[in-house]
Amino acid sequence: MFFHIVLERNMQLHPRHFGRNLRENLVSKLMKDVEGTCSGRHGFVVAITGIENVGKGLIRDGTGFVTFPVKYQCVVFRPFKGEILEAAVTMVNKMGFFAEAGPVQIFVSNHVKIQKDSEVRLKIIGTRVDATEIFCIGTIKDDFLGVINDPTTA
Amino acid sequence: MHRRPLPLREDEQEDVEALERSIQARYARSSHTEYDEETTDVEQQALLPSVRDPKLWMVKCAIGHERETAVCLMQKCIDKGSELQIRSVIALDHLKNYIYIEADKEAHVREAVKGLRTIFAAKIMLVPIRETTDVLSVESKAVDLSRDTWVRMKIGTYKGDLAQVVDVDNVRQRVTVKLIPRIDLQALANKLEGREVAKKKAFVPPPRFMNVDEARELHIRVERRRNSITGDYFENIGGLLFKDGFLYKTVSMKSISAQNIKPTFDELEKFRTPSNDGEGEMVGLSTLFANRKKNHFLKGDAVIVVKGDLKNLKGWVEKVEEENVYIRPEMKGLPKTLAVNEKELCKYFEPGNHVKVVSGTKEGATGMVVKVEQHVLIILSDTTKEHIRVFADDVVESSEVTTGVTKIGDYELHDLVLLDNNSFGVIIRVESEAFQVLKGVPERPEVSLVKLREIKCKLDKKFNVQDRYRNPVSVKDVVRILEGHCKGKQGPVEHIYKGVLFVYDRHHLEHAGFICVKADSCCIVGGSRSNGNRNGDSFSRFGSFKTPPRVPPSPRRFARGGPPFDSNGRHRGGRGGHDALIGTTVKIRQGPFKGYRGRVVDIKGQSVRVELESQMKVVTVDRNFISDNVVISTPTRDTSRYGMGSETPMHPSRTPLHSYMTPVRDPGATPIHDGMRTPMHDRAWNPYAPMSPPRNNWEEGNPASWGTSPQYQPGSPPSRAYEAPTPGSGWASTPGGNYSEAGTPRDSNLAYANAPSPYMPSTPSGQPMTPSSGSYIPGTPGGQPMTPGTGGLDIMSPVIGADNEGPWFMSDILVNVHKSGGETLGIIQEVLQDGSCKVGLGSNGSGDTIIVMPSEMEIVPPRKSDKIKIMGGSLRGVTGKLIGVDGTDGIVRIDDSLDVKILDLVMLAKLP
């Protein structure tokens, strides 16, 4: 499920970025740092949509780096148990197949004849949330679930 | 008690003797009967043997003759009467080779056993009083053998094999068990046909189900008979009974063990195979349940009823009471709680549950349930992404993500290890007592099972290699594999060793995601994470401004054994010998520092001064004792810092920035951490780094300005000013390393080479930074006056004189002179102002006197009990005697004070 939420992060900025473009530098660095990461709590940060507030910077002793508390709005994606997703099959092995829905990897066990690169609709039956990774297992054994687009037939 | 005297009165008429006898008898009896009535703990305690009681002696006897020996002793006792002073003899059925004899003294025992041939009286052991009761107490082993119980065979071919009880004959103490036969059909056929059979079989045939057709092919007679009692049909082959491939064997109860049997999953699977009906499995369950631990069920556990009327009812545990478990059933219309026997319950999991295995062979693993087959769960392991089959009983629901057992000893999952036979690999799985290691063979994936002791050591050094396009690759860089069996895969590099990369691709399910490839069959994707790479890039950009040999394009090669002497001595500047080796990372192959790695700081003739990576100290080793091939692994940053360090003092300060800008690629580390770490590291080694001002024009790529611009030269005042206030730099006080690295490149710089004399005061920029040279002698105690011309040195002189190390040549010391190809001993007579020395040749200095450049001579290292002169430090100029050597330190007794000092050997020079 996608959420649009406000998150906060302390950004460290090198002194060479100070000046007129400080804010731009800060934002671009924030995007670089945050987009595409995954936190167990919020899920995958898909995109930063805006900056709420940039706090006062604090110069760090010794390094000259400045720490800014930045509040930003972002779109996050977090899979939940029971959620129905459409995913692309990335790998098939004897135990089942792995599918990817965006950044999330989903494992589906004991399937019947699924090919790589086909698209499936699946239901998440379990999630494992680490600090830096979310992994799901899913099932296609339910009504309206299964292959929705097969590369060989298309 | 009060009734007892009665019969006594009746016997009043009897004679005194009879009376006495009866009293005795009664007395003895009454004491017994009283205890019988109510035995309390205290009374029992009173019966325990004390020190006053006869002792129990353990006597060795012939094996198998325990009972016989006891009977013999009994007979002896009857024959000899009270002569034999032992009280009793005990032979225990379960104790072979020993009998117990009760007696007051050891001598009595010896006396009693004398002449018995079954007893070896040599060793008579006293049983401690506390243990005497144990000898005679009978352990009640309530072996509850019933049908379908799992047992293990204790003896014979089937020793240790799992068996299932089919029938129990309690009267004859015999059990019929079902086994997977271990029968060598060929041997059986031979035997039946009367051919010679090897008496002692060298091997035990593997368990295999009996195939009747196979037996018939070998002309073994197979009879099919009906058991009259059970009505089942059995195949009779050579007197052995088979059914469904299983061997049915009737054995003595003593030859099986029924306690603590924990059949493994595999064993049970085998038993299940031929008769694939569900019943057998459920029966197997009951045995499993019998072995369950106490408190198996906890409140809140999801359970399912597996037996009885309520079979398949799901519920949750509410309360556990001994055997009964109160469950809250899932179904409506049932009472709120139901009491169910523990044995009728099984834990229940649903696909998607995250569980942890708490017992069994897979203990410690966690994963998600992907499939439930009755009481067997299939779990997708978190670590290996592989299926694990476990019993539902062995797991608990848990959100914990562990990797199972990931560590044995010092070695952890995904570590790079060096193996016995000098091969290496990554641990991809940790098993109960061994590791699965993906070997570092790029041609094909090779996995071997390695025991702990077969691992030599962990390899956790960071190496850098070059990919196909000569881009430096370091750990954590993402690479794509361009050829080989894993072509097209992509992932971060986890380990680098000997030009082999271990790449982790999470889509690669084999070998825990690890792929072993050659470095040159990969290409780096995106930028490099290693902060040194930027510097490396800038190298190529500005390569034209540099003299070529700065960056070693390939491992350095030089003629080992002979120091490469430059014919142009002056060019060699203040440093003892500046050749390609300086600045490279080397490994010490021999001597007390064997195995250490370090950076070459200085070269002096045959000896090389190496700054150890691990110990923050500079040691001197023989040049032959180092191996230079490590240079491949020289981190680019080091190299580049060498090449450019002095011209661009602020250069490394960019390093933290770069690492800062690419933290996202590292999945494990938070970017802040990385960013914080790097600058500190740099600061420690390079005092310029954090304090230097940003120079934007540098980034614009205007190298011309800095390549030659004097104001960025390290000796110039501005950078000196930056150096001084460096905070937290522990190295500021020991500048040997810093200075030299800053000063190094100047020697080969074009500008430098053009200078008419390297020692001219007009080029102070180069000079002050090379204090470890032996070519000029500031602050010599010998009274070398400071010439005004070397004013540039003044700032440095006191420092060097006081606590800088570095051996300077001094008068009176013995040196090896390499001049005109030969090598001769000599004694320095005088040190001249420009650093060269007047040397008197010959071991006592009596030969010709010549002028020698510092680079053309080297100090003769002193040996133990040599007379020495201290050439550096606060004791410079003092003479003494070397009374011992400890690694790189010499133990010196000073001549004047007779004090004993420990000094760096490098600072000691031999006196003639």
Side-chain angles (χ1 to χ4, degrees):
Chain A
M1 218 177 288
F2 291 93
F3 297 92
H4 192 209
I5 55 169
V6 177
L7 293 177
E8 191 170 346
R9 185 186 173 85
N10 283 332
M11 297 294 300
Q12 288 217 34
L13 206 61
H14 190 270
R16 71 168 173 171
H17 296 303
F18 301 165
R20 252 183 304 164
N21 297 330
L22 192 144
R23 197 184 156 89
E24 283 79 59
N25 284 332
L26 197 64
V27 173
S28 63
K29 185 164 152 47
L30 176 75
M31 287 184 166
K32 255 187 188 164
D33 278 7
V34 167
E35 283 183 5
T37 59
C38 170
S39 81
R41 202 182 141 99
H42 300 105
F44 295 92
V45 178
V46 177
I48 291 172
T49 54
I51 303 292
E52 288 253 302
N53 170 36
V54 177
K56 280 185 180 144
L58 190 77
I59 300 179
R60 300 190 67 96
D61 286 344
T63 58
F65 277 71
V66 173
T67 312
F68 293 98
V70 184
K71 273 188 182 165
Y72 56 97
Q73 301 157 337
C74 59
V75 177
V76 292
F77 172 59
R78 189 185 186 304
F80 286 93
K81 205 169 154 176
E83 189 178 340
I84 309 260
L85 281 177
E86 282 169 19
V89 177
T90 52
M91 200 178 52
V92 182
N93 60 19
K94 59 180 193 297
M95 309 175 295
F97 66 85
F98 284 89
E100 274 182 7
V104 195
Q105 208 183 14
I106 303 149
F107 176 76
V108 179
S109 182
N110 54 331
H111 54 84
V112 271
K113 292 227 172 132
I114 295 247
Q115 285 203 313
K116 195 171 181 256
D117 296 327
S118 51
E119 288 166 30
V120 289
R121 183 177 294 137
L122 49 85
K123 187 164 98 175
I124 292 173
I125 54 171
T127 58
R128 191 188 82 222
V129 179
D130 290 350
T132 55
E133 193 197 16
I134 295 182
F135 179 75
C136 303
I137 65 163
T139 180
I140 49 170
K141 271 193 210 147
D142 213 337
D143 293 345
F144 308 110
L145 299 185
V147 180
I148 48 176
N149 191 0
D150 199 328
T152 49
T153 55
Chain B
M1 266 278 239
H2 55 274
R3 259 186 281 138
R4 302 222 177 264
L6 266 172
L8 212 145
R9 250 176 241 149
E10 282 169 23
D11 298 333
E12 257 174 351
Q13 317 303 326
E14 290 188 26
D15 61 317
V16 186
E17 246 185 51
L19 182 75
E20 199 185 320
R21 223 182 304 130
S22 74
I23 287 174
Q24 262 184 354
R26 199 147 296 149
Y27 219 87
R29 208 187 322 139
S30 71
S31 68
H32 277 289
T33 41
E34 261 173 49
Y35 283 120
D36 279 345
E37 277 168 24
E38 209 179 336
T39 30
T40 63
D41 276 357
V42 179
E43 283 164 340
Q44 283 280 312
Q45 286 286 326
L47 285 175
L48 286 176
S50 72
V51 275
R52 279 190 296 273
D53 292 311
K55 284 137 196 114
L56 214 51
W57 306 88
M58 202 172 170
V59 184
K60 203 163 186 180
C61 74
I63 198 156
H65 296 274
E66 298 85 11
R67 273 166 180 263
E68 186 194 324
T69 315
V71 172
C72 281
L73 276 167
M74 185 171 78
Q75 187 60 45
K76 203 173 180 182
C77 196
I78 293 165
D79 294 346
K80 293 205 169 181
S82 55
E83 235 176 273
L84 220 58
Q85 283 169 301
I86 58 168
R87 307 291 177 105
S88 66
V89 179
I90 303 145
L92 295 175
D93 278 346
H94 65 260
L95 186 77
K96 298 258 187 298
N97 219 186
Y98 287 100
I99 59 164
Y100 292 97
I101 297 176
E102 190 187 2
D104 287 307
K105 289 189 174 118
E106 192 185 332
H108 298 165
V109 179
R110 282 195 192 283
E111 189 60 35
V113 300
K114 202 180 267 174
L116 283 178
R117 56 192 170 83
T118 49
I119 284 189
F120 315 116
K123 216 177 176 190
I124 297 174
M125 282 173 286
L126 175 68
V127 180
I129 289 176
R130 239 186 295 162
E131 289 165 29
T132 46
T133 46
D134 298 330
V135 172
L136 290 171
S137 57
V138 179
E139 248 180 78
S140 58
K141 273 193 284 178
V143 183
D144 178 29
L145 276 180
S146 59
R147 276 198 61 177
D148 299 327
T149 317
W150 292 112
V151 294
R152 271 187 205 283
M153 307 303 288
K154 273 203 247 175
I155 46 170
T157 325
Y158 296 94
K159 186 176 177 183
D161 277 13
L162 189 72
Q164 197 173 20
V165 177
V166 182
D167 192 28
V168 187
D169 187 343
N170 274 319
V171 183
R172 291 163 63 195
Q173 293 279 299
R174 292 186 83 74
V175 192
T176 307
V177 291
K178 188 166 93 172
L179 282 161
I180 301 174
R182 285 177 185 271
I183 283 172
D184 187 351
L185 277 176
Q186 193 60 52
L188 189 71
N190 290 349
K191 193 177 148 196
L192 288 177
E193 283 170 29
R195 267 176 271 160
E196 195 66 15
V197 187
K199 258 278 173 321
K200 190 84 182 165
K201 265 177 250 152
F203 76 107
V204 177
R208 212 158 59 92
F209 288 107
M210 173 57 76
N211 190 336
V212 177
D213 299 330
E214 233 174 87
R216 287 208 174 104
E217 268 174 39
L218 286 164
H219 308 293
I220 300 171
R221 216 165 93 90
V222 180
E223 274 179 86
R224 195 170 165 81
R225 254 189 235 159
R226 185 163 173 263
N227 188 314
S228 52
I229 305 157
T230 54
D232 289 330
Y233 282 97
F234 287 98
E235 275 99 29
N236 188 330
I237 303 170
L240 301 166
L241 294 177
F242 295 94
K243 192 187 163 202
D244 301 325
F246 286 105
L247 168 69
Y248 283 72
K249 201 175 162 142
T250 305
V251 294
S252 151
M253 264 191 194
K254 277 181 189 158
S255 63
I256 57 168
S257 81
Q259 243 143 18
N260 271 329
I261 306 299
K262 273 210 137 191
T264 67
F265 198 89
D266 294 341
E267 284 175 318
L268 288 184
E269 282 285 284
K270 276 186 205 145
F271 265 86
R272 207 170 60 116
T273 323
S275 58
N276 38 19
D277 49 345
E279 193 202 341
E281 192 166 335
M282 273 314 172
V283 172
L285 259 185
S286 66
T287 322
L288 285 180
F289 290 176
N291 289 318
R292 271 208 292 237
K293 285 184 239 159
K294 280 266 180 276
N295 302 325
H296 176 73
F297 292 105
L298 293 172
K299 194 184 172 206
D301 278 356
V303 288
I304 188 164
V305 182
V306 290
K307 262 187 192 170
D309 298 340
L310 295 170
K311 195 171 170 178
N312 287 342
L313 177 77
K314 289 170 199 161
W316 291 272
V317 175
E318 284 285 293
K319 204 167 114 189
V320 185
E321 235 175 44
E322 305 257 312
E323 290 249 295
N324 284 330
V325 179
Y326 294 87
I327 63 162
R328 178 162 49 87
E330 185 190 45
M331 231 172 324
K332 287 194 183 94
L334 282 169
K336 249 195 174 165
T337 53
L338 290 167
V340 187
N341 190 301
E342 193 185 50
K343 298 201 168 169
E344 290 170 13
L345 283 178
C346 185
K347 279 192 184 174
Y348 177 73
F349 295 94
E350 270 181 356
N353 288 151
H354 194 262
V355 295
K356 183 181 180 189
V357 184
V358 290
S359 56
T361 46
K362 299 286 194 306
E363 184 174 343
T366 60
M368 265 194 281
V369 179
V370 289
K371 204 173 172 191
V372 181
E373 286 171 355
Q374 292 187 311
H375 67 294
V376 176
L377 303 181
I378 296 171
I379 294 174
L380 187 77
S381 158
D382 287 337
T383 352
T384 54
K385 297 259 157 64
E386 274 175 8
H387 280 183
I388 312 174
R389 286 166 74 90
V390 286
F391 296 114
D393 274 340
D394 287 343
V395 302
V396 287
E397 201 161 350
S398 148
S399 60
E400 182 189 353
V401 176
T402 57
T403 39
V405 190
T406 58
K407 212 171 178 180
I408 307 180
D410 288 337
Y411 309 109
E412 224 172 324
L413 194 67
H414 301 170
D415 274 349
L416 182 68
V417 291
L418 191 68
L419 305 180
D420 253 357
N421 45 1
N422 268 335
S423 59
F424 57 94
V426 171
I427 298 176
I428 51 170
R429 187 180 312 166
V430 182
E431 290 177 4
S432 51
E433 272 174 354
F435 299 100
Q436 266 190 21
V437 171
L438 174 68
K439 289 275 197 72
V441 190
E443 294 80 35
R444 61 194 183 280
E446 191 183 317
V447 177
S448 62
L449 203 63
V450 171
K451 290 255 163 55
L452 183 63
R453 63 185 142 78
E454 292 169 55
I455 297 181
K456 257 192 191 158
C457 62
K458 191 152 107 179
L459 300 165
D460 47 8
K461 285 168 192 155
K462 298 272 174 281
F463 294 112
N464 277 29
V465 285
Q466 289 180 326
D467 71 357
R468 168 168 287 194
Y469 307 110
R470 304 235 142 202
N471 293 312
V473 181
S474 52
V475 170
K476 294 283 176 222
D477 286 347
V478 178
V479 296
R480 177 181 293 131
I481 297 161
L482 299 174
E483 57 189 21
H485 59 281
C486 288
K487 187 180 172 184
K489 303 252 183 201
Q490 182 175 330
V493 176
E494 292 294 316
H495 298 289
I496 302 176
Y497 192 66
K498 285 187 178 167
V500 171
L501 306 182
F502 288 94
V503 180
Y504 177 74
D505 181 4
R506 66 168 185 163
H507 299 297
H508 188 70
L509 278 200
E510 286 170 87
H511 313 128
F514 277 92
I515 303 164
C516 172
V517 281
K518 268 203 201 114
D520 53 13
S521 46
C522 297
C523 77
I524 197 156
V525 180
S528 174
R529 269 199 62 71
S530 109
N531 34 30
N533 282 318
R534 302 286 170 161
N535 299 350
D537 289 348
S538 56
F539 246 118
S540 43
R541 265 200 287 162
F542 308 126
S544 54
F545 293 92
K546 298 276 161 285
T547 42
R550 293 262 183 80
V551 194
S554 61
R556 303 254 177 206
R557 267 169 289 267
F558 59 86
R560 200 178 278 152
F565 273 100
D566 198 333
S567 55
N568 183 355
R570 292 198 316 165
H571 189 190
R572 311 181 96 260
R575 304 185 59 86
H578 183 91
D579 68 2
L581 196 65
I582 288 189
T584 53
T585 303
V586 297
K587 192 167 186 175
I588 301 172
R589 293 187 297 124
Q590 283 177 43
F593 289 94
K594 182 181 174 181
Y596 282 78
R597 265 161 41 99
R599 217 159 36 81
V600 176
V601 202
D602 200 353
I603 295 177
K604 266 209 170 59
Q606 269 304 99
S607 51
V608 178
R609 305 205 338 116
V610 179
E611 186 180 64
L612 297 182
E613 275 181 357
S614 55
Q615 292 205 337
M616 290 222 270
K617 79 179 189 191
V618 182
V619 298
T620 305
V621 287
D622 192 293
R623 191 161 181 163
N624 291 321
F625 287 2
I626 59 170
S627 69
D628 54 319
N629 55 1
V630 209
V631 84
I632 329 162
S633 62
T634 307
T636 359
R637 198 186 62 212
D638 278 11
T639 334
S640 57
R641 195 173 56 190
Y642 259 95
M644 313 180 77
S646 67
E647 288 93 343
T648 58
M650 41 66 68
H651 190 92
S653 74
R654 291 195 37 187
T655 316
L657 270 182
H658 281 293
S659 69
Y660 217 179
M661 284 163 77
T662 52
V664 193
R665 249 179 287 136
D666 185 355
T670 55
I672 294 158
H673 178 73
D674 199 16
M676 288 305 292
R677 181 167 41 100
T678 317
M680 295 216 296
H681 176 78
D682 255 28
R683 194 167 23 139
W685 286 88
N686 190 338
Y688 298 108
M691 300 308 292
S692 47
R695 281 176 58 203
N696 287 326
N697 65 341
W698 189 88
E699 278 170 280
E700 256 79 90
N702 185 12
S705 67
W706 52 265
T708 51
S709 166
Q711 81 235 41
Y712 289 104
Q713 286 180 359
S716 60
S719 47
R720 290 215 55 77
Y722 289 131
E723 185 195 5
T726 304
S729 163
W731 283 77
S733 57
T734 53
N738 291 328
Y739 284 141
S740 54
E741 65 190 46
T744 309
R746 298 234 37 91
D747 290 315
S748 48
N749 195 313
L750 287 169
Y752 195 64
N754 292 341
S757 159
Y759 306 115
M760 288 246 313
S762 58
T763 55
S765 50
Q767 286 283 347
M769 303 317 289
T770 55
S772 43
S773 105
S775 59
Y776 60 101
I777 310 114
T780 318
Q784 290 293 326
M786 277 298 152
T787 48
T790 53
L793 299 176
D794 273 351
I795 330 155
M796 303 297 294
S797 315
V799 191
I800 298 163
D803 50 25
N804 255 11
E805 93 274 49
W808 326 114
F809 291 107
M810 303 174 72
S811 52
D812 297 339
I813 64 170
L814 204 60
V815 289
N816 256 330
V817 182
H818 317 270
K819 218 170 186 180
S820 58
E823 193 169 300
T824 43
L825 275 177
I827 293 169
I828 298 183
Q829 293 175 338
E830 195 185 346
V831 180
L832 303 177
Q833 206 177 309
D834 66 347
S836 56
C837 303
K838 226 188 221 174
V839 176
L841 294 178
S843 57
N844 48 9
S846 55
D848 299 340
T849 304
I850 52 163
I851 304 284
V852 184
M853 295 304 293
S855 55
E856 290 164 336
M857 59 188 180
E858 64 178 293
I859 295 159
V860 177
R863 299 234 177 92
K864 198 178 160 183
S865 68
D866 278 349
K867 285 187 67 100
I868 53 99
K869 191 166 195 173
I870 299 164
M871 295 183 298
S874 52
L875 291 169
R876 182 173 155 82
V878 177
T879 57
K881 192 176 172 190
L882 187 64
I883 54 173
V885 178
D886 179 19
T888 54
D889 291 333
I891 303 160
V892 175
R893 188 167 59 220
I894 310 291
D895 281 345
D896 297 341
S897 55
L898 292 177
D899 280 350
V900 175
K901 301 263 178 199
I902 294 176
L903 296 161
D904 203 337
L905 265 187
V906 194
M907 295 199 304
L908 308 179
K910 187 177 176 178
L911 288 179

